[in-house]
Amino acid sequence: MPLHKYMIEHLLYPAMQHKGNQIRAILNELQLSQKANAPAVQYQRLIKLLLHCKQHVPAYAGLLPDDSVILTDPMAVLRTRIPLLPKTNFQQNPEAYLADDIPASSRIANCTGGSTGQPVHFYMTRHQVESYEAARWRGLSWYGITQGSRSVMLWGSPIELSKQAQLKNRLKESLLKNRRILSAYNLTEQDLTKHVRFLEHYRPEYLYGYATILTAFAQMLENAHITPNLSLKAVVSTSETLEKWQEELLSRVFRCPVANEYGARDAGILAYTCPDGGIHITAENCVIEVLDPVTHEPVPDGTSGILAITDLTNYVQPRLRYMLGDMGTLSTEECCCGRRLPLVPIIEKELLQRREEQMQNQKLYRKSYDTNYLAFVFVNDMGTLFKPDYITRHFKELLQRNNLKVIRVHDLRHPYVKHTTKNLYLTLDGFSSTGLS
């Protein structure tokens, strides 16, 4: 084992644990529950959170029933007694969600990126942060990655990085995390050879970054016919939707598995892909509901709907049935990896459904159906390819028709988009999207 990795795992983390850090203890619990009793852990943690909210959180105190009802069926109580919580509702009165038994000195202030709307400001606790980190490390451990594993992070804009004291941050990333950061704005074709030399000299165990940045880097390498001499355990994509072709490109160029991380800054690490391709929900830390967009009633497994998240680790400012603005589906299928964690079905099913619709339209319209674009996804009912300006042109008309401020479609793009599972989609819910960094 390399000396730096050994020092982090056998000196730094034990020292942190001695001072009260619980990441490793929580990680050990998650490693045990994933193949044994994750649903039971989720059930008991929901009971505990609901009882806490009833006694200490003003926003929920008058909504929750007697303790005996909560103990009997906490899931039913959550779904029938607690209203959905859109981000805008939370922002209107965040103080009502603060627990009165957690002192201000224990609160950690945080906020979402907010580049597509008003940032959501909220509080966390140390245990909550450590629970998020433990969930991330469990997902990474499925690929043989540990806390001391050397990594390169392809990340951020100059603005994001400039918020930190540069020298201090570089030392912290290198010495304490065994990690180097490559800014997305430095990944140019002119410097491609330099970046490859750096990676081959540094020899990371894994790469971690935005899907678009990782994809752009991989495309530059493939176009230049460059195959880096690396032995990566995984390429980890986060913060944006990773499509199948991107996953295949990354796997082909870097010759390793591709992991997908889904979560949100204000909800934690919600799901991780395993090496067998299953996208596993962190069931011990959250409850994910899939609801009909109109009726807000639960939809059958395998049906797409809006997601409502209940973070089971959030005691300082609980947001029950919190609406992140994402859509997705759930499945009752089990992964061949043996982990007893619920699955989020992969996006291929959605694409196959779209393909089936196109085939039906082709039969319906027969000779009138345009057969020039059979290999394309985004065609209209008559098979004609949508023009490149279709979205931008109709988006402006839509805004004007509803007396809304005219903005560019590009302005909706969130650089901190967090959902990365293959069937979770960016939606126009208050122009908000989520973010697993």
Side-chain angles (χ1 to χ4, degrees):
M1 178 183 292
L3 179 60
H4 194 171
K5 181 177 182 178
Y6 180 91
M7 292 179 64
I8 290 177
E9 296 184 357
H10 294 275
L11 296 178
L12 177 62
Y13 265 83
M16 290 167 55
Q17 192 165 356
H18 180 71
K19 291 186 176 182
N21 186 291
Q22 294 297 305
I23 291 178
R24 278 195 168 177
I26 299 171
L27 174 59
N28 289 337
E29 293 175 358
L30 293 177
Q31 298 285 28
L32 292 174
S33 63
Q34 65 182 351
K35 291 191 175 182
N37 61 340
V41 172
Q42 181 189 64
Y43 188 88
Q44 293 300 322
R45 289 185 176 180
L46 179 58
I47 290 176
K48 185 178 178 181
L49 178 62
L50 292 176
L51 293 174
H52 167 78
C53 289
K54 178 186 176 183
Q55 186 173 357
H56 297 291
V57 183
Y60 298 116
L63 299 176
L64 290 164
D66 293 340
D67 292 2
S68 59
V69 179
I70 296 175
L71 292 169
T72 301
D73 195 343
M75 291 293 185
V77 170
L78 179 70
R79 290 165 180 162
T80 60
R81 298 296 187 97
I82 303 299
L84 295 174
L85 181 60
K87 289 186 178 183
T88 51
N89 289 20
F90 171 75
Q91 289 173 300
Q92 289 171 3
N93 190 17
E95 291 78 14
Y97 297 87
L98 282 172
D100 60 20
D101 65 332
I102 298 180
S105 59
S106 297
R107 300 172 186 166
I108 302 172
N110 204 341
C111 70
T112 59
S115 63
T116 62
Q118 192 70 19
V120 178
H121 294 266
F122 57 94
Y123 289 102
M124 306 174 69
T125 61
R126 177 177 175 178
H127 182 268
Q128 188 179 349
V129 174
E130 292 170 353
S131 296
Y132 291 179
E133 284 299 300
R136 174 180 280 117
W137 284 117
R138 178 175 69 177
L140 292 173
S141 74
W142 299 341
Y143 298 86
I145 296 169
T146 57
Q147 292 94 339
S149 293
R150 181 177 293 178
S151 67
V152 171
M153 193 175 186
L154 285 75
W155 203 254
S157 66
I159 295 176
E160 182 181 353
L161 295 175
S162 67
K163 292 179 181 178
Q164 309 169 61
Q166 294 296 309
L167 178 59
K168 182 179 179 181
N169 179 65
R170 285 197 297 270
L171 290 174
K172 177 182 177 182
E173 292 291 325
S174 178
L175 297 178
L176 302 183
K177 299 182 180 181
N178 205 7
R179 181 168 71 189
R180 297 285 185 90
I181 294 180
L182 287 180
S183 171
Y185 287 79
N186 293 330
L187 294 176
T188 62
E189 293 180 356
Q190 292 80 2
D191 295 327
L192 190 59
T193 303
K194 181 181 70 174
H195 295 316
V196 171
R197 283 202 303 266
F198 160 71
L199 289 174
E200 292 180 340
H201 176 74
Y202 188 62
R203 304 203 64 77
E205 291 187 48
Y206 69 103
L207 304 181
Y208 182 94
Y210 294 141
T212 50
I213 301 174
L214 291 169
T215 300
F217 187 42
Q219 285 177 324
M220 284 190 288
L221 291 171
E222 189 167 65
N223 291 340
H225 305 289
I226 296 176
T227 302
N229 183 21
L230 301 172
S231 298
L232 296 171
K233 293 181 176 179
V235 173
V236 184
S237 172
T238 188
S239 301
E240 296 169 333
T241 300
L242 182 72
E243 298 183 12
K244 184 63 177 179
W245 71 268
Q246 294 174 302
E247 180 183 353
E248 292 174 347
L249 171 68
L250 294 173
S251 178
R252 183 170 66 249
V253 171
F254 295 109
R255 297 171 297 171
C256 68
V258 178
N260 212 340
E261 180 185 87
Y262 167 61
R265 195 172 299 182
D266 47 350
I269 303 296
L270 301 176
Y272 237 96
T273 56
C274 73
D276 291 300
I279 307 175
H280 295 273
I281 295 173
T282 312
E284 304 95 333
N285 288 1
C286 66
V287 174
I288 299 181
E289 302 174 67
V290 182
L291 308 173
D292 185 277
V294 178
T295 66
H296 290 169
E297 292 295 321
V299 300
D301 288 326
T303 303
S304 180
I306 57 174
L307 301 184
I309 311 296
T310 296
D311 182 353
L312 300 177
T313 70
N314 182 359
Y315 278 73
V316 63
Q317 200 172 33
R319 293 177 293 280
L320 309 181
R321 310 191 78 199
Y322 187 53
M323 309 282 285
L324 290 176
D326 291 341
M327 297 189 69
T329 63
L330 297 180
S331 173
T332 56
E333 298 177 2
E334 293 187 0
C335 183
C336 61
C337 71
R339 297 179 179 88
R340 295 190 60 195
L341 299 170
L343 291 172
V344 181
I346 53 180
I347 196 170
E348 282 88 341
K349 292 184 179 180
E350 301 291 339
L351 295 176
L352 289 173
Q353 181 179 349
R354 178 62 180 153
R355 178 59 180 158
E356 179 65 25
E357 292 173 358
Q358 292 176 0
M359 293 176 66
Q360 293 298 327
N361 287 334
Q362 189 175 356
K363 292 179 181 179
L364 177 64
Y365 297 110
R366 298 184 180 181
K367 292 183 179 180
S368 298
Y369 192 87
D370 191 339
T371 59
N372 292 314
Y373 306 104
L374 294 179
F376 290 81
V377 175
F378 296 106
V379 297
N380 61 21
D381 289 346
M382 298 296 293
T384 302
L385 188 68
F386 286 121
K387 295 181 179 179
D389 66 342
Y390 177 88
I391 295 178
T392 54
R393 177 162 44 84
H394 285 270
F395 183 65
K396 180 178 180 180
E397 295 172 359
L398 176 66
L399 294 176
Q400 291 174 333
R401 189 162 61 246
N402 290 276
N403 297 317
L404 296 174
K405 178 183 177 182
V406 176
I407 61 174
R408 303 173 302 166
V409 173
H410 179 76
D411 294 331
L412 296 178
R413 187 188 182 279
H414 195 328
Y416 304 103
V417 170
K418 301 292 179 186
H419 54 87
T420 57
T421 53
K422 303 171 188 174
N423 69 323
L424 301 172
Y425 310 104
L426 180 65
T427 60
L428 302 182
D429 180 13
F431 301 143
S432 62
S433 55
T434 59
L436 251 138
S437 71

